[in-house]
Amino acid sequence: MSITCFIEYEINPFKHTEFEQYAKNWGKIIPQCGGNLIGYFLPHEGDNKRAYGLITFDSLADYERYRHRLKNDKDAVENFQFAQQTQIILHEKRYFLKGVPDTLKFDSGDV
């Protein structure tokens, strides 16, 4: 059973450009560390301080291995430091979700 890590960010509404760079950096780092990145999403209209990231894993154990790899990955450490230095993230929440069969538009292997 695959799981999706749904990350909800409260971001500094005056630093969308910096958050976009932060997200783009994860586009390379996440797959290197074992995650299947669905994507990052920035505000477009309405609330200008919510952004989201979605990453799938084959299991919670795979997620734990991924987290361990992130802590030891030079690029990941630099990206975390970039976020702290620029103060782009005000708050972050993580939710772990499982997809409802027959409603998904893709198979986790397609991501």
Side-chain angles (χ1 to χ4, degrees):
M1 172 189 74
S2 68
I3 61 163
T4 299
C5 179
F6 180 93
I7 309 166
E8 178 182 11
Y9 297 94
E10 180 181 345
I11 63 173
N12 183 327
F14 301 104
K15 296 192 176 188
H16 284 199
T17 302
E18 291 87 346
F19 187 86
E20 185 171 357
Q21 182 59 54
Y22 172 78
K24 285 179 180 181
N25 294 344
W26 286 127
K28 175 184 138 199
I29 299 164
I30 289 170
Q32 283 178 184
C33 291
N36 299 308
L37 180 62
I38 294 173
Y40 272 83
F41 302 86
L42 283 165
H44 179 67
E45 287 188 31
D47 185 347
N48 67 351
K49 62 182 181 178
R50 299 273 179 245
Y52 303 95
L54 287 88
I55 311 164
T56 64
F57 301 90
D58 290 335
S59 67
L60 197 51
D62 284 341
Y63 170 75
E64 293 299 330
R65 285 188 286 277
Y66 159 83
R67 292 290 293 173
H68 178 74
R69 287 185 202 115
L70 279 184
K71 291 177 185 177
N72 298 301
D73 184 90
K74 178 182 152 297
D75 293 332
V77 170
E78 287 177 4
N79 209 35
F80 285 127
Q81 290 172 343
F82 171 73
Q84 289 177 336
Q85 291 167 352
T86 57
Q87 299 182 343
I88 53 178
I89 300 170
L90 305 175
H91 186 72
E92 180 179 323
K93 294 181 192 176
R94 290 175 187 268
Y95 305 92
F96 294 90
L97 310 170
K98 64 178 184 172
V100 176
D102 301 326
T103 67
L104 303 175
K105 298 287 184 192
F106 61 90
D107 182 320
S108 63
D110 295 339
V111 179

